[in-house]
Each structure stands twice: as structure tokens, then as C-alpha cells.
Amino acid sequence: MATGEAKRDEALRTLQNEIDEEELLSSRPYHSWVRGDVDLSLSPSSSPTNDGTDNGGDGGGVADEPNPNSHLPTNRCRFFDKHGFILLPNFATSSEVESMKSSMEELVNTQWKSTNKTQVFRTDSKQCEAQGKSDYFLDSASKCHFFAEVAAMDGDGELKEEYRQRKVTALNKAGHGLHTVPGPFQEYTQSTKIANLLRELGWVAPVVPQSMYIFKQAKIGGEVTSHQDSTFLYTTPRQTCIGLWLALDDATMDNGCLWVRPGSHKEGLRRQFVRNPKHFGNSLSYNNGGEEEEGDPDAPQMIFRQLDNNPKNEKVTWEGALPKDSLPGPQCTGLYDAGFVPVPCKAGDLLAFVGQLDHLSLPNSSNESRHTFQLHCVEGEDAGVTWSKENWLQYPPGVPFMKL
């Protein structure tokens, strides 16, 4: 067994033992990450359910006999709430995986016009500059826009010669409205197994603000620095983001599998990626409400707002970066010292994690790509949750998020 898989399995066993050793009592509240404290003595409809549904593979079915414990959270839900993530093998079929990959290549070949200056995507100290220098990023909210790898571009902002014959190998990501386009991405998003999983994990009225396809190219696929998804997908009065990270290729230690820091979702949100009022004006939209609200078009579109007032986060010195000595791999000494665990996956496996979980991925040093399709869901207004108007991602007026 590969070192990464062995370390993953050892960590998962240890984390599962913590769940097994805890007694679940209906006489005391159960703490759901997305819902808060839940009274398990109430009716089944008011608790994260254990309805016998198998949410992997083709979606499974409902148990034939009524389950007397249907009001109790499932073991998967308990693992998810306590540790901030859950790995679900074989969640998508090989047919779904291949359909998504072939559909993406077709979209790239027919829709990506790489003749003009191409926008890159990055997560390092230049993130605000890269994502905030044009409207192309903001306009991708409900569409499919394409963002290249920094290493695939020349000094003039054009694709290097070696990528022009097969453009798909130059991309970092495509997003952020793939789920709105009829086809395999939308079919997967609206599948019963996605809706069942979200409700099993405690979501009541989930909606989909964002989807994206990450390419993690062979040799040039860059690192994704430590971050929390709720930084970019902020809701009030509480954070409700969940990431559904589907492997479309085998994700390994060599090609940039995800690393998670179990339990870090309890530390609170460290920062928020917001529309800059100095650029947009007080309305935070393209169409300012009045002359007194007009912004400065030369100011950055997006900025980070520091939120960290939690003493538990004093040890987190790597936000927007990598812990010291994270590289080289496969030793990754700094990652293990900081409490991160690698999560290698097979194509079709799903990694679900809460929006406050600290996670990252290292550069792809292999000859194999690591494609993924990622959904981000939040609770909708029917659950009393509001999407922040300061978030970068805003749909056109009157266009709602997809309900699941």
C-alpha cells in the first residue's frame, strides 16, 4: 500500500475510534456543525436522519423496515460533524466520471477563446490581484469561464506554444456555474444521491451557489494554499458551506491529493474574501445606487478582511500559504507537524467537508493530471440563512441559486 494511503487509513481508523467510543444519548443535545445543537428527543423530522439510505454508488434505497433510530444522526454524520470531513468511496459511477471529463474537454475546445490575454487563477499572495483585475472572474458566477495555470502563460499573457494544440492541458480551473449548464455536471448536481447526502449530514434547504472543475495539470498544476471555503462563500447568521470534492482521476501524493486538518472546523473562520467598497461603492454592485456611492475603478475589486479573534487560531501561521517545511514530498514534515492528513482518492470517490475546515493541496509533480469536479452548497433562505452581498459571487438580479 502506498505511503499516503497507509497514513490516510491510519488516521481514519483513529478518528473513527473516537466516534465509536462516544455514547450518543437522546437525553443531551447533539451538536450538528450546520444546525447547531439538536434535541434528539424530538421527532425524527427535526434531526439529521438515519433513514437507511446508501448515498454512494447509484444512490441506494430506503430500508424496507422502519428504523426505530431514524431520528439519530448516522455514523457518517457524526464523523463529519466531529472531524469536519468524510470520505465516501465509489460515490460516482465510472460512467458519470467519464461523461464529466469528456464534456469538459468539449467545452474547452468549443468555448474557450485563448487568443486574447487569458486570466490565470492563483491562491497565493497575488490572489486578489489575479482575481480582481477584470470583470471576467466576477462574471463567471453563473457561467463557465476558464482560468489558466500561471506556468502555461508567456510574458505577454498568451498561451505558450506547447499548450496551443491541446488547450485543456493549460487550464487551472473552469467555473463557477457548471451546474447551471444542461449536461452531466447538472445531472450529477441534481441527482438523488447528492440531495440525500446533504440531508443526512444535516442540511435542511440546501442550494448550490458554485461549481468548478479543477484540472491540477501534470507537472504544472500549482499548489492550492491553506484556506477555508467559507472565506469565499460566506453566509449569515452562521456559516453553512459544504464542499463536495469529487475525484475524476485517482488523486495521489504525487499528483496533488487533498490534505485536511481534522477538527480545524471548530476554530472559527479566519478571514473573508469581500467585494471592496472602495472599488464598487456602497452598493457593492456594478450599478451604483447614486453618485455619492460611486467607487474608484482603480481600487482592487476584491480584498481579504481578517476575522480571526479566536485564540485557537494563534497557531495558524500559514493562512493563504503552506505550513513551513510542507515540501518536499513525500516527506511533507511540516504538514504532518501542523496536523494535516493526506486523503488520496480513487476516481469516483467523494470527499465532503465543512466550509471552515482547513485544507490544501500540493503541486502536481507527476506525469498524471488530477481532475476534480467540486460543488459548494449552503443553506438557503428557506432555512433562515442569507448569502452575503459582500461575497464575490453574485448571480444576476432575479436569478436564484439552484435548490436541491
Side-chain angles (χ1 to χ4, degrees):
M1 180 179 290
T3 301
E5 292 176 331
K7 288 184 176 293
R8 175 201 65 192
D9 292 344
E10 179 184 3
L12 291 179
R13 283 193 297 270
T14 299
L15 296 173
Q16 182 59 50
N17 287 340
E18 294 181 22
I19 302 298
D20 295 340
E21 292 172 359
E22 290 183 352
E23 187 175 7
L24 190 64
L25 300 174
S26 60
S27 59
R28 66 187 184 196
Y30 171 79
H31 187 76
S32 161
W33 179 81
V34 68
R35 299 177 64 191
D37 287 341
V38 177
D39 188 347
L40 298 184
S41 65
L42 298 178
S43 64
S45 62
S46 61
S47 300
T49 61
N50 182 359
D51 62 2
T53 302
D54 174 8
N55 294 297
D58 294 320
V62 178
D64 294 331
E65 297 297 328
N67 186 344
N69 295 319
S70 63
H71 64 295
L72 300 179
T74 66
N75 285 332
R76 299 196 305 193
C77 180
R78 293 174 62 197
F79 189 103
F80 177 84
D81 285 329
K82 184 175 181 64
H83 303 303
F85 74 101
I86 186 76
L87 176 62
L88 305 174
N90 303 312
F91 188 82
T93 66
S94 59
S95 176
E96 288 175 308
V97 167
E98 290 306 316
S99 182
M100 290 186 211
K101 292 182 71 174
S102 60
S103 178
M104 177 49 62
E105 184 151 12
E106 182 179 357
L107 286 172
V108 172
N109 291 334
T110 59
Q111 295 189 17
W112 184 31
K113 310 302 181 184
S114 58
T115 54
N116 299 323
K117 287 187 179 293
T118 297
Q119 187 162 342
V120 300
F121 189 87
R122 57 198 308 162
T123 65
D124 58 12
S125 60
K126 296 183 179 180
Q127 183 169 12
C128 286
E129 178 184 350
Q131 273 78 266
K133 67 181 182 181
S134 76
D135 293 339
Y136 186 75
F137 177 71
L138 294 178
D139 289 342
S140 71
S142 58
K143 304 175 183 178
C144 179
H145 283 186
F146 302 93
F147 303 87
E149 281 286 353
V150 175
M153 311 305 296
D154 63 22
D156 296 323
E158 303 286 347
L159 275 185
K160 292 179 179 178
E161 182 66 33
E162 58 263 39
Y163 298 105
R164 293 178 186 174
Q165 294 302 311
R166 194 157 186 260
K167 298 185 297 183
V168 71
T169 61
L171 285 169
N172 173 291
K173 73 185 294 187
H176 292 86
L178 284 167
H179 61 288
T180 68
V181 180
F185 298 109
Q186 186 178 89
E187 291 168 5
Y188 168 79
T189 302
Q190 295 180 317
S191 65
T192 301
K193 62 188 173 188
I194 290 289
N196 284 348
L197 175 63
L198 290 170
R199 284 167 176 79
E200 178 188 355
L201 298 180
W203 271 254
V204 174
V207 296
V208 190
Q210 174 178 283
S211 60
M212 54 190 181
Y213 191 107
I214 305 296
F215 296 85
K216 202 74 165 182
Q217 306 288 2
K219 294 299 185 184
I220 65 168
E223 68 191 36
V224 175
T225 58
S226 165
H227 66 285
Q228 300 164 296
D229 287 347
S230 290
T231 293
F232 308 93
L233 304 154
Y234 194 90
T235 58
T236 58
R238 64 188 189 277
Q239 299 313 310
T240 63
C241 173
I242 180 174
L244 302 176
W245 192 99
L246 178 69
L248 301 181
D249 292 318
D250 290 353
T252 69
M253 293 280 284
D254 293 328
N255 71 2
C257 71
L258 215 62
W259 291 70
V260 302
R261 188 158 63 87
S264 59
H265 62 306
K266 301 174 184 178
E267 296 171 354
L269 194 61
R270 297 190 288 270
R271 57 180 182 167
Q272 184 183 359
F273 191 61
V274 298
R275 292 185 173 225
N276 184 5
K278 291 184 179 179
H279 176 93
F280 291 103
N282 293 336
S283 68
L284 297 179
S285 69
Y286 290 131
N287 301 313
N288 292 322
E291 184 175 351
E292 71 281 4
E293 295 182 341
E294 291 182 359
D296 177 3
D298 294 327
Q301 289 182 329
M302 308 303 302
I303 57 174
F304 281 105
R305 175 187 296 151
Q306 296 302 129
L307 302 176
D308 185 6
N309 57 3
N310 188 335
K312 292 182 180 179
N313 277 331
E314 292 179 358
K315 66 176 184 178
V316 181
T317 58
W318 53 79
E319 173 71 8
L322 297 177
K324 183 181 178 181
D325 298 326
S326 293
L327 296 169
Q331 294 82 7
C332 305
T333 305
L335 288 176
Y336 291 116
D337 289 346
F340 284 88
V341 174
V343 191
C345 296
K346 296 294 185 183
D349 292 355
L350 181 76
L351 185 63
F353 50 92
V354 304
Q356 288 181 197
L357 187 77
D358 197 358
H359 63 286
L360 55 84
S361 66
L362 298 178
N364 185 347
S365 60
S366 77
N367 293 317
E368 303 294 333
S369 63
R370 192 227 66 188
H371 291 198
T372 62
F373 178 59
Q374 302 176 26
L375 289 174
H376 288 102
C377 305
V378 298
E379 285 283 35
E381 293 182 355
D382 291 345
V385 173
T386 301
W387 181 255
S388 173
K389 72 173 186 177
E390 293 184 294
N391 287 337
W392 78 264
L393 189 151
Q394 302 292 335
Y395 277 17
V399 179
F401 292 150
M402 177 186 290
K403 294 183 178 181
L404 298 180

